[in-house]
């Protein structure tokens, strides 16, 4: 594993995953950082984010 990256993306939601995908496709080396153990959790988890006060994060 390298310790140098062209881009570091913070947040593994839909936008972060999409950004990393485009950057890697264009030849950049990327590191994606996500606080939770699951990528895209707000859209993938089985709970209502509005009821829990998280809101929509797109």
């Amino acid at each position: 594993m390298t310790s140098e990256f062209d881009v570091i993306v913070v947040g593994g939601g839909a936008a972060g995953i999409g950004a990393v995908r485009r950057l890697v496709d264009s030849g950049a080396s990327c590191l994606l950082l996500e606080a939770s153990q699951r990528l895209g959790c707000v859209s993938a988890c089985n709970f209502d984010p509005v009821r829990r006060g998280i809101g929509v994060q797109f």
Side-chain angles (χ1 to χ4, degrees):
M1 185 170 158
T2 183
S3 61
E4 293 186 19
F5 299 93
D6 296 321
V7 179
I8 298 174
V9 177
V10 179
I17 294 169
V20 168
R21 176 69 186 255
R22 287 184 180 214
L23 288 162
V24 168
D25 286 348
S26 69
S29 63
C30 297
L31 174 64
L32 176 62
L33 300 175
E34 171 56 42
S36 70
Q37 294 182 2
R38 191 167 175 178
L39 294 177
C41 190
V42 170
S43 59
C45 290
N46 292 326
F47 66 85
D48 184 359
V50 175
R51 189 180 319 148
R52 297 219 180 188
I54 296 172
V56 179
Q57 300 175 359
F58 293 107

